[in-house]
Amino acid sequence: MPRKTGKIPSNKTFLIVVEGKTEQLYFSEIKSIERIPGITIIPKQAKHSSLDSIFKTALDEKNSEVYDSVWCVFDYDTILEKGISEQTKKLKTQVEKCGIYIANSLPSFEIWFLLHYVIPQKYYKDQTALIKELHKYFPEYEKTMYKIYSKLNDLNSTAIKNSYALLERNKQNQDKHTSFCNVYKIFEELKL
């Protein structure tokens, strides 16, 4: 009897280019805990925490054609504070044209953690105010702590549900300074 031959399904690689240490630790923990069949998660911190550096890193990696999916994860509060330069706008356009995905948050990545418990307030003055709110639900949280994913993993479906509720709330309110979070898109893509 002839031997069956078939194609071995190739492993999909997800590169997640992050802004800071908190995001790096979080996605590294997901990589070590979650064993998603056929998917490899590779978190990579950009050389600098600037948006230009994040976009350039993502573009360089996308051009290497090593990854099936490339994501940029960054805080939107710095853009509101400093504005966005013409060069950064051009880089963002390049990123979007290349099929690189963006998972940004306002004011910061910690809003994703808060979404595991509640729908965030409409406005946070800054990241400090957001973290103060997060401490009500996650008192031991620190920016560079390990095992954040482990502590929040059981609440991922709540975070995704709350992300959609936040999105709906923001559609009704056209104010661009309203808190938001697009990190749920990564989880949906990874089917976590």
Side-chain angles (χ1 to χ4, degrees):
M1 196 155 111
R3 189 184 320 169
K4 287 185 179 179
T5 59
K7 292 185 179 180
I8 297 172
S10 64
N11 208 24
K12 289 187 176 183
T13 56
F14 281 72
L15 176 70
I16 303 173
V17 181
V18 298
E19 178 177 9
K21 189 72 173 166
T22 302
E23 297 90 338
Q24 174 73 31
L25 290 169
Y26 182 74
F27 287 109
S28 291
E29 186 182 4
I30 292 172
K31 176 185 177 181
S32 67
I33 289 176
E34 297 292 349
R35 300 288 182 227
I36 308 164
I39 293 178
T40 301
I41 301 170
I42 302 169
K44 180 175 186 168
Q45 190 171 349
K47 198 174 207 175
H48 305 285
S49 66
S50 72
L51 198 49
D52 285 5
S53 181
I54 293 165
F55 287 157
K56 286 177 183 175
T57 301
L59 286 165
D60 288 346
E61 296 293 351
K62 180 74 173 179
N63 290 334
S64 73
E65 298 184 4
V66 173
Y67 306 101
D68 296 293
S69 188
V70 178
W71 290 80
C72 294
V73 176
F74 58 90
D75 299 345
Y76 202 78
D77 61 349
T78 52
I79 294 170
L80 288 180
E81 275 178 33
K82 300 175 184 174
I84 187 165
S85 70
E86 286 304 314
Q87 177 183 330
T88 305
K89 285 179 186 175
K90 287 178 184 173
L91 282 169
K92 184 176 184 282
T93 301
Q94 278 183 278
V95 160
E96 292 169 338
K97 282 183 180 175
C98 287
I100 296 170
Y101 303 100
I102 293 176
N104 52 357
S105 304
L106 179 66
S108 65
F109 188 70
E110 281 79 8
I111 204 156
W112 171 244
F113 303 152
L114 185 58
L115 281 160
H116 286 73
Y117 301 101
V118 295
I119 298 169
Q121 295 175 18
K122 203 171 194 179
Y123 302 101
Y124 291 96
K125 185 178 83 174
D126 54 25
Q127 185 182 94
T128 304
L130 170 61
I131 292 173
K132 185 177 177 182
E133 177 81 9
L134 178 60
H135 280 146
K136 292 177 186 176
Y137 306 95
F138 189 178
E140 67 273 22
Y141 174 74
E142 292 178 30
K143 280 194 76 61
T144 57
M145 75 183 285
Y146 292 93
K147 301 199 183 274
I148 295 172
Y149 181 74
S150 301
K151 292 185 184 301
L152 299 177
N153 185 20
D154 291 340
L155 300 170
N156 278 346
S157 60
T158 301
I160 291 169
K161 183 182 79 165
N162 285 342
S163 294
Y164 276 105
L166 181 61
L167 188 63
E168 282 304 310
R169 183 184 78 191
N170 290 346
K171 281 181 184 175
Q172 296 171 9
N173 178 8
Q174 298 301 314
D175 186 353
K176 63 182 174 185
H177 299 296
T178 298
S179 58
F180 67 84
C181 182
N182 293 313
V183 175
Y184 73 94
K185 294 177 181 179
I186 296 173
F187 282 78
E188 288 187 332
E189 184 76 19
L190 293 171
K191 296 180 180 22
L192 285 174

